[in-house]
Amino acid sequence: MTNRTSLSNIDVITLDEKGTIHKNVTLVVENGIITEIGNSENDQFGSTAVDCTNKVAMPGLVNSHCHSPMNMVRGWAEDLPFVEWLEAIWVAESGITPDDVYWAAALAAAEMIRSGTVAYNDKYFYMHRVADAVQESGLKAALTWTVFGMGEDTEVGSGLDETIDWIKELDETSKGQIKTYIGPHSPYLCPDDFLRKTVELAHELGKGIHLHVAETKAQVDQSIARYNLSPVQHLDKLGVFDLPDVTIAAHTLHVDDKDIEILVNKNVIVPHCPITYMKLAMPFPSIQKCVDAGVQISLGTDGPGSNADMDMFAVIRQTALIHKYQTVDPAMVSGDTALRMATQAGAKAVGMSDHGMLKVGAPADLILLDMNAPHLRPVHNIVANIVHCVKGSDVCDVMVNGNWLMWNRELKTLDEEQILYEAEKRAHKIVDRGKKQLRQYARD
Ligand SMILES: [Zn+2]
């Protein structure tokens, strides 16, 4: 039986090659695929169509780099410099259990659906429990279990070999809903031999790698002092950018011309997370050079311990604002560019390269915005209103693969009340356990 949804009297931001915007049309979805975008008056499904007057459809957003279970430490370490913040977060995170990670991931999934994210690229620990939350939520995801290659594996729940077993198992069972990456943390926390081993395994399994690169100027200086190479050049030498699948090089903020050439010529996506950089007061240069050179830049929230939420509409707006401000050029990061970074570019990071455009034949991963609100009127330029005025809470409906994950602001796949209860209770216990463990380490 055909599973059909027909949305009439709707405006559609297609984000196609021409940036087409349809006004007052009918959008039809059949078996998870968009099969028609046409004139509402000719709508052959008129009697069953859902009236979407005052609603706008656009491709669902993709959060291309985050650590979603860090929502458990949201608001825990405020107003601290980067290094002190990291230390404080580590104290709390050392008390986290696999079950906590599950509820944290469920909380994040609820937040993401509510704010219009349909797919995300998550990098954390105990990822088998994140996978459970993804499968229950109906979201699409790419998951990476972070490994360091030094210290105690027990700190992150798994060593490299175990994460490879997890990847093999999940690839067999997730039916394409979840993609996996190999996850060394970064060149500054992983020894070279370990990074080489991850590259070898990536070739063996046909995988990509998701890691952190050149977040601060100090990391670049350290790399040059140690290897006489920048982090990008160092990773290139180790083969991290020559994999069977894409390399996700999160942040990669401090780069020179040679680095940019490498990023353009290899299959690399660079997730950009400006709210985290601003909140942690991490200076970062404009992305103008990278954008002009053709580096594939997507957008992400990073962990909600630093951002501190997962609202991709906030990231879209802040990306446009900060780069206009930094370059003193109001033309920098146009509305259309910001929306494509948050949809099409991010989609490549989660293995959904056919995602990010609303057109016939595309998967029905879309969101509807309720434009009947004072901050969204009048509409001279709908893209401008979406980039600079829409908030995550303006998202009223979310569809993934033709299924509603939220309809009329009601979550259809998750038990939000239970998630909020569990998350609140567990977050306080996690922090208490972390503090206790730290005191124990200090005594030992
Ligand atoms: Zn990160």
Side-chain angles (χ1 to χ4, degrees):
M1 214 182 90
T2 306
N3 180 359
R4 178 187 293 131
T5 306
S6 175
L7 308 171
S8 63
N9 305 313
I10 194 164
D11 293 347
V12 179
I13 311 274
T14 64
L15 292 183
D16 67 4
E17 295 82 357
K18 292 185 199 151
T20 309
I21 297 169
H22 298 292
K23 294 284 226 177
N24 199 31
V25 292
T26 293
L27 186 151
V28 181
V29 173
E30 290 179 82
N31 295 330
I33 303 291
I34 297 170
T35 54
E36 192 183 323
I37 300 177
N39 193 326
S40 280
E41 282 163 23
N42 303 332
D43 178 16
Q44 54 174 313
F45 311 114
S47 58
T48 54
V50 182
D51 179 30
C52 292
T53 302
N54 285 326
K55 287 186 179 180
V56 170
M58 66 171 283
L61 305 178
V62 180
N63 187 345
S64 66
H65 177 75
C66 64
H67 315 285
S68 75
M70 286 182 79
N71 53 14
M72 289 290 99
V73 289
R74 171 179 283 153
W76 156 254
E78 289 298 286
D79 307 326
L80 293 173
F82 180 58
V83 174
E84 283 172 46
W85 171 82
L86 256 183
E87 284 165 2
I89 291 295
W90 176 79
V91 171
E93 283 188 319
S94 64
I96 205 161
T97 67
D99 278 352
D100 294 332
V101 167
Y102 166 78
W103 287 105
L107 182 72
E111 182 184 0
M112 283 187 278
I113 294 170
R114 283 208 170 279
S115 51
T117 290
V118 298
Y120 68 117
N121 203 3
D122 209 1
K123 181 170 168 60
Y124 201 64
F125 318 120
Y126 304 122
M127 296 306 285
H128 57 308
R129 299 311 316 272
V130 177
D132 291 341
V134 173
Q135 279 165 330
E136 286 160 23
S137 70
L139 288 166
K140 294 180 177 177
L143 303 183
T144 309
W145 196 317
T146 301
V147 281
F148 294 90
M150 56 185 181
E152 291 282 326
D153 285 346
T154 49
E155 280 174 27
V156 294
S158 190
L160 182 59
D161 291 343
E162 293 84 48
T163 66
I164 296 299
D165 291 342
W166 164 76
I167 284 174
K168 287 178 182 166
E169 203 184 308
L170 192 61
D171 284 353
E172 263 177 38
T173 56
S174 68
K175 299 188 187 84
Q177 186 190 359
I178 303 176
K179 180 187 167 98
T180 48
Y181 286 99
I182 298 175
H185 182 276
S186 59
Y188 59 92
L189 285 181
C190 298
D192 279 5
D193 283 349
F194 183 74
L195 286 168
R196 277 193 206 95
K197 174 98 175 125
T198 61
V199 169
E200 246 170 58
L201 286 164
H203 283 283
E204 223 174 283
L205 299 169
K207 291 284 165 192
I209 282 177
H210 179 183
L211 76 176
H212 294 97
V213 183
E215 297 152 292
T216 62
K217 178 78 173 50
Q219 287 172 16
V220 177
D221 293 344
Q222 255 170 26
S223 178
I224 289 171
R226 202 155 161 204
Y227 306 106
N228 203 22
L229 293 169
S230 70
V232 170
Q233 292 156 33
H234 175 56
L235 290 171
D236 189 40
K237 200 174 164 194
L238 292 170
V240 172
F241 301 134
D242 295 293
L243 305 175
D245 201 349
V246 66
T247 306
I248 310 293
H251 315 309
T252 315
L253 293 168
H254 300 271
V255 287
D256 62 20
D257 291 347
K258 207 170 163 193
D259 295 338
I260 292 174
E261 203 184 315
I262 293 168
L263 296 170
V264 171
N265 290 326
K266 304 288 171 84
N267 192 13
V268 185
I269 310 254
V270 175
H272 190 63
C273 311
I275 296 183
T276 278
Y277 316 147
M278 289 190 276
K279 188 154 188 291
L280 295 177
M282 295 162 63
F284 64 104
S286 157
I287 50 172
Q288 185 165 21
K289 248 184 158 178
C290 290
V291 170
D292 290 347
V295 176
Q296 303 190 76
I297 296 182
S298 57
L299 299 183
T301 56
D302 214 342
S306 51
N307 182 299
D309 69 14
M310 300 188 77
D311 182 350
M312 283 293 292
F313 279 105
V315 177
I316 289 169
R317 185 183 191 188
Q318 295 298 335
T319 301
L321 292 179
I322 188 68
H323 292 289
K324 287 177 196 302
Y325 178 79
Q326 273 187 334
T327 55
V328 198
D329 178 1
M332 190 57 197
V333 187
S334 70
D336 183 76
T337 302
L339 289 186
R340 286 174 198 273
M341 283 177 172
T343 52
Q344 291 157 11
K348 290 183 197 152
V350 292
M352 296 162 49
S353 45
D354 56 348
H355 171 93
M357 239 183 246
L358 297 189
K359 59 177 185 183
V360 171
D365 301 329
L366 54 89
I367 58 177
L368 307 188
L369 306 171
D370 178 3
M371 302 300 278
N372 203 21
H375 62 289
L376 302 177
R377 296 298 181 91
V379 184
H380 293 297
N381 175 337
I382 200 163
V383 170
N385 281 20
I386 289 175
V387 170
H388 291 287
C389 311
V390 161
K391 294 153 196 6
S393 53
D394 295 316
V395 176
C396 46
D397 312 290
V398 175
M399 177 183 271
V400 174
N401 275 342
N403 300 314
W404 292 115
L405 306 192
M406 179 165 77
W407 177 251
N408 270 336
R409 293 193 161 89
E410 189 187 321
L411 298 186
K412 307 307 275 183
T413 53
L414 299 171
D415 183 342
E416 198 170 20
E417 203 179 304
Q418 192 187 4
I419 290 169
L420 294 181
Y421 169 77
E422 289 284 347
E424 187 69 40
K425 182 181 75 177
R426 285 167 184 275
H428 298 285
K429 285 192 179 157
I430 289 166
V431 170
D432 287 346
R433 265 199 304 272
K435 282 195 261 184
K436 224 180 264 170
Q437 276 183 22
L438 193 74
R439 284 197 294 272
Q440 186 65 40
Y441 290 141
R443 273 198 298 272
D444 291 348

